[in-house]
Amino acid sequence: MLITSLPPHTTTNATTVKESNQVRKMSNLLCGKLEACFAIRLPASQHHDIFSGRPHHVSSMAPTKIKNCALHEGDFGKKGSIVIWDYVHDEVHKVAKELVEDIDDANFSTTFKVIEGNLLKEYKEFKIVVKATPKSENTSLIHWTMEYEKLNEDVPEPFSVLKFLVHLSKDIDDHHTKK
Protein backbone atom coordinates (compact mmCIF):
# COMPACT_ATOMS: atom_id res chain seq x y z
CA MET A 1 0.00 0.00 0.00
CA LEU A 2 1.29 3.43 -0.91
CA ILE A 3 0.16 6.46 1.09
CA THR A 4 1.35 9.88 0.10
CA SER A 5 0.93 13.34 1.48
CA LEU A 6 1.29 15.85 -1.27
CA PRO A 7 2.53 19.37 -0.64
CA PRO A 8 -0.20 21.74 0.47
CA HIS A 9 -1.90 23.56 -2.37
CA THR A 10 -4.39 26.34 -2.89
CA THR A 11 -6.74 27.35 -5.55
CA THR A 12 -6.20 30.90 -6.66
CA ASN A 13 -9.17 33.20 -6.81
CA ALA A 14 -9.55 36.96 -7.06
CA THR A 15 -9.71 37.37 -3.28
CA THR A 16 -6.49 35.42 -2.67
CA VAL A 17 -4.58 37.30 -5.35
CA LYS A 18 -5.48 40.67 -3.83
CA GLU A 19 -4.58 39.64 -0.29
CA SER A 20 -1.12 39.70 1.25
CA ASN A 21 1.50 36.97 0.94
CA GLN A 22 0.92 36.13 4.61
CA VAL A 23 -2.72 35.21 3.93
CA ARG A 24 -1.68 33.10 0.94
CA LYS A 25 0.97 31.34 3.05
CA MET A 26 -1.58 30.63 5.82
CA SER A 27 -4.00 29.19 3.26
CA ASN A 28 -1.25 26.86 1.99
CA LEU A 29 -0.83 25.46 5.50
CA LEU A 30 -4.53 24.70 5.76
CA CYS A 31 -5.05 22.92 2.42
CA GLY A 32 -3.85 19.43 1.69
CA LYS A 33 -4.17 16.28 -0.32
CA LEU A 34 -3.66 12.68 0.83
CA GLU A 35 -3.63 9.61 -1.38
CA ALA A 36 -3.45 5.85 -0.97
CA CYS A 37 -3.02 3.23 -3.67
CA PHE A 38 -3.23 -0.54 -3.15
CA ALA A 39 -4.26 -3.75 -4.89
CA ILE A 40 -7.39 -5.81 -4.24
CA ARG A 41 -8.69 -9.08 -5.66
CA LEU A 42 -11.97 -7.57 -6.87
CA PRO A 43 -12.52 -6.44 -10.49
CA ALA A 44 -12.34 -2.65 -10.90
CA SER A 45 -15.85 -2.49 -12.35
CA GLN A 46 -17.32 -4.24 -9.30
CA HIS A 47 -15.56 -1.99 -6.76
CA HIS A 48 -16.65 1.06 -8.75
CA ASP A 49 -20.25 -0.15 -8.97
CA ILE A 50 -20.43 -0.50 -5.19
CA PHE A 51 -19.41 3.11 -4.48
CA SER A 52 -21.05 4.73 -7.50
CA GLY A 53 -24.35 2.88 -7.65
CA ARG A 54 -24.85 0.72 -4.56
CA PRO A 55 -23.33 2.51 -1.55
CA HIS A 56 -26.31 1.39 0.54
CA HIS A 57 -24.95 -2.18 0.27
CA VAL A 58 -21.63 -1.29 1.91
CA SER A 59 -23.03 -1.73 5.43
CA SER A 60 -23.56 -5.45 4.75
CA MET A 61 -19.99 -5.78 3.45
CA ALA A 62 -18.23 -3.81 6.20
CA PRO A 63 -20.67 -3.74 9.15
CA THR A 64 -18.10 -2.76 11.76
CA LYS A 65 -17.27 0.42 9.83
CA ILE A 66 -20.44 1.39 7.95
CA LYS A 67 -23.72 1.23 9.85
CA ASN A 68 -25.91 2.66 7.10
CA CYS A 69 -25.88 4.60 3.86
CA ALA A 70 -29.18 6.28 3.06
CA LEU A 71 -30.30 8.23 0.05
CA HIS A 72 -31.20 11.79 1.07
CA GLU A 73 -31.88 13.23 -2.38
CA GLY A 74 -31.81 12.01 -5.98
CA ASP A 75 -31.16 8.42 -7.03
CA PHE A 76 -28.38 5.98 -6.21
CA GLY A 77 -25.90 5.89 -9.07
CA LYS A 78 -26.69 9.43 -10.26
CA LYS A 79 -24.46 12.48 -10.21
CA GLY A 80 -25.93 15.20 -8.00
CA SER A 81 -27.49 12.77 -5.52
CA ILE A 82 -26.93 13.17 -1.80
CA VAL A 83 -26.18 10.23 0.48
CA ILE A 84 -25.85 10.09 4.26
CA TRP A 85 -23.25 7.73 5.71
CA ASP A 86 -23.52 6.50 9.32
CA TYR A 87 -20.10 5.10 10.19
CA VAL A 88 -17.74 4.27 13.03
CA HIS A 89 -14.32 5.92 12.85
CA ASP A 90 -11.81 5.77 15.70
CA GLU A 91 -14.46 3.94 17.77
CA VAL A 92 -16.86 6.91 17.50
CA HIS A 93 -20.18 6.92 15.63
CA LYS A 94 -20.10 9.65 12.98
CA VAL A 95 -22.21 10.97 10.12
CA ALA A 96 -21.31 12.40 6.72
CA LYS A 97 -23.76 13.88 4.24
CA GLU A 98 -22.11 13.76 0.82
CA LEU A 99 -22.92 15.11 -2.60
CA VAL A 100 -22.08 12.68 -5.39
CA GLU A 101 -20.14 15.25 -7.37
CA ASP A 102 -19.08 13.00 -10.24
CA ILE A 103 -19.41 9.43 -11.49
CA ASP A 104 -17.03 8.47 -14.29
CA ASP A 105 -18.01 4.96 -15.38
CA ALA A 106 -15.38 4.87 -18.14
CA ASN A 107 -12.55 5.42 -15.62
CA PHE A 108 -14.24 3.66 -12.64
CA SER A 109 -14.08 6.85 -10.54
CA THR A 110 -16.55 8.41 -8.08
CA THR A 111 -16.16 11.80 -6.39
CA PHE A 112 -17.91 12.72 -3.15
CA LYS A 113 -18.01 16.18 -1.55
CA VAL A 114 -18.80 16.29 2.16
CA ILE A 115 -21.53 18.89 2.73
CA GLU A 116 -22.49 18.16 6.37
CA GLY A 117 -21.34 16.06 9.27
CA ASN A 118 -18.50 15.35 11.66
CA LEU A 119 -15.67 16.03 9.20
CA LEU A 120 -16.84 19.61 8.74
CA LYS A 121 -16.26 20.28 12.44
CA GLU A 122 -12.53 20.36 11.60
CA TYR A 123 -12.42 20.90 7.84
CA LYS A 124 -13.89 23.72 5.80
CA GLU A 125 -13.96 21.53 2.70
CA PHE A 126 -13.49 17.81 2.22
CA LYS A 127 -13.58 15.92 -1.08
CA ILE A 128 -13.05 12.19 -1.57
CA VAL A 129 -12.31 10.42 -4.84
CA VAL A 130 -12.21 6.64 -5.20
CA LYS A 131 -10.87 5.23 -8.45
CA ALA A 132 -10.44 1.60 -9.46
CA THR A 133 -7.99 0.64 -12.21
CA PRO A 134 -8.04 -2.86 -13.69
CA LYS A 135 -4.82 -4.83 -13.15
CA SER A 136 -6.07 -8.13 -14.55
CA GLU A 137 -9.43 -9.76 -15.12
CA ASN A 138 -10.12 -10.20 -11.40
CA THR A 139 -7.81 -7.74 -9.65
CA SER A 140 -7.58 -3.99 -9.49
CA LEU A 141 -5.64 -1.09 -8.10
CA ILE A 142 -7.67 1.16 -5.78
CA HIS A 143 -6.72 4.81 -5.47
CA TRP A 144 -8.31 6.93 -2.73
CA THR A 145 -7.66 10.68 -2.85
CA MET A 146 -8.75 13.23 -0.24
CA GLU A 147 -8.52 16.97 -0.80
CA TYR A 148 -9.34 19.16 2.16
CA GLU A 149 -9.04 22.55 3.80
CA LYS A 150 -8.61 22.60 7.56
CA LEU A 151 -10.49 25.15 9.67
CA ASN A 152 -7.24 26.10 11.42
CA GLU A 153 -3.64 24.96 11.64
CA ASP A 154 -4.28 22.99 14.86
CA VAL A 155 -6.42 20.47 12.96
CA PRO A 156 -4.42 17.31 12.20
CA GLU A 157 -3.92 15.88 8.74
CA PRO A 158 -6.69 13.30 8.20
CA PHE A 159 -4.42 10.24 7.98
CA SER A 160 -6.85 8.19 10.09
CA VAL A 161 -9.68 8.93 7.63
CA LEU A 162 -7.52 7.72 4.75
CA LYS A 163 -6.64 4.57 6.70
CA PHE A 164 -10.37 4.04 7.36
CA LEU A 165 -11.14 4.26 3.61
CA VAL A 166 -8.32 1.85 2.73
CA HIS A 167 -9.59 -0.69 5.25
CA LEU A 168 -13.14 -0.17 4.03
CA SER A 169 -12.11 -1.20 0.50
CA LYS A 170 -10.22 -4.17 1.90
CA ASP A 171 -13.29 -5.26 3.91
CA ILE A 172 -15.39 -5.07 0.75
CA ASP A 173 -12.75 -7.07 -1.10
CA ASP A 174 -12.70 -9.71 1.65
CA HIS A 175 -16.49 -9.90 1.64
CA HIS A 176 -16.57 -10.71 -2.07
CA THR A 177 -13.53 -12.95 -2.32
CA LYS A 178 -14.44 -15.16 0.64
CA LYS A 179 -17.69 -16.25 -1.03
Side-chain angles (χ1 to χ4, degrees):
M1 174 175 59
L2 171 67
I3 297 179
T4 60
S5 176
L6 299 179
H9 66 282
T10 60
T11 55
T12 305
N13 59 38
T15 305
T16 305
V17 172
K18 291 179 183 176
E19 294 174 347
S20 72
N21 286 338
Q22 183 63 31
V23 171
R24 232 179 283 133
K25 184 176 179 184
M26 175 68 79
S27 182
N28 279 338
L29 296 174
L30 299 178
C31 296
K33 182 176 183 177
L34 295 176
E35 298 180 281
C37 196
F38 55 96
I40 63 172
R41 299 158 296 189
L42 199 61
S45 60
Q46 193 172 0
H47 188 274
H48 171 66
D49 180 57
I50 291 165
F51 283 99
S52 67
R54 299 182 298 125
H56 54 296
H57 291 188
V58 174
S59 62
S60 67
M61 299 174 212
T64 61
K65 292 178 182 61
I66 304 297
K67 298 304 177 185
N68 190 38
C69 179
L71 184 64
H72 179 73
E73 186 177 302
D75 295 307
F76 284 121
K78 301 291 183 190
K79 180 179 173 180
S81 296
I82 297 174
V83 294
I84 300 174
W85 296 90
D86 289 304
Y87 63 102
V88 177
H89 171 247
D90 290 340
E91 299 182 13
V92 177
H93 179 264
K94 298 181 181 182
V95 176
K97 184 186 279 188
E98 297 179 346
L99 170 68
V100 179
E101 202 169 72
D102 191 36
I103 297 174
D104 182 347
D105 291 327
N107 292 304
F108 304 121
S109 176
T110 305
T111 303
F112 298 96
K113 179 180 180 181
V114 179
I115 57 175
E116 284 182 28
N118 294 79
L119 284 170
L120 296 186
K121 291 178 182 176
E122 295 184 306
Y123 301 92
K124 182 178 178 181
E125 292 188 23
F126 208 97
K127 187 180 290 192
I128 301 167
V129 180
V130 57
K131 179 177 172 40
T133 304
K135 278 183 66 175
S136 68
E137 186 178 326
N138 291 318
T139 63
S140 58
L141 196 62
I142 304 303
H143 189 168
W144 284 97
T145 304
M146 301 183 320
E147 292 185 32
Y148 54 89
E149 182 178 349
K150 300 187 282 186
L151 288 176
N152 60 62
E153 57 190 41
D154 295 327
V155 173
E157 302 300 321
F159 288 111
S160 69
V161 177
L162 185 61
K163 183 178 177 182
F164 172 87
L165 294 171
V166 168
H167 287 283
L168 178 60
S169 282
K170 289 182 176 190
D171 286 355
I172 292 168
D173 183 43
D174 288 343
H175 173 82
H176 284 86
T177 56
K178 286 182 180 177
K179 287 185 174 180

